[in-house]
Amino acid sequence: MSTSIRSIKSLVPLLDRVLIQRIKADTKTASGIFLPESSVKELNEGKVLAVGPGGLNKDGQRVPMGVAKGDRVLIPQYGGSPVKVGEDEFHLFRDSEILAKINE
């Protein structure tokens, strides 16, 4: 089940949620050959577009988020809540579901 909204800028994650756009795999090889979309696998890499303020612990204090806007992250193959904006698809994950941050 996916939700459709008009502008991604109007979406603000709550608590420990993170809005991520998957990075698409190249459909063209280094030598210039175009690959069919059916042969290109979806990458488990994404870019963080927005971050919620953080969840609350049992004492009611905010738990800091592990990622920030602009970070490249490793995400699970499945999971997250899909959000469609026009032809683009984004995903909302919990901070704890993100596997790793990719430092360049």
Side-chain angles (χ1 to χ4, degrees):
M1 180 176 165
S2 68
T3 304
S4 182
I5 58 174
R6 293 182 188 182
S7 170
I8 198 64
K9 292 180 181 180
S10 66
L11 188 65
V12 179
L14 300 175
L15 296 174
D16 64 339
R17 303 293 195 302
V18 180
L19 180 64
I20 295 176
Q21 182 176 24
R22 282 189 190 268
I23 295 174
K24 296 185 181 185
D26 289 334
T27 58
K28 185 178 175 183
T29 64
S31 60
I33 299 172
F34 287 95
L35 302 171
E37 286 187 28
S38 59
S39 69
V40 178
K41 289 187 176 181
E42 196 172 72
L43 294 177
N44 289 2
E45 191 177 318
K47 181 177 180 182
V48 176
L49 300 178
V51 177
L56 301 173
N57 65 14
K58 62 182 178 181
D59 298 325
Q61 298 174 338
R62 290 260 177 226
V63 177
M65 298 292 281
V67 296
K69 183 178 177 179
D71 286 346
R72 282 184 43 213
V73 293
L74 189 64
I75 52 177
Q77 182 70 30
Y78 302 104
S81 300
V83 179
K84 275 191 93 83
V85 178
E87 294 296 316
D88 296 326
E89 187 168 314
F90 304 90
H91 294 273
L92 278 168
F93 286 95
R94 288 189 179 272
D95 187 44
S96 60
E97 294 175 335
I98 296 173
L99 304 175
K101 185 165 37 170
I102 301 170
N103 293 327
E104 295 181 39

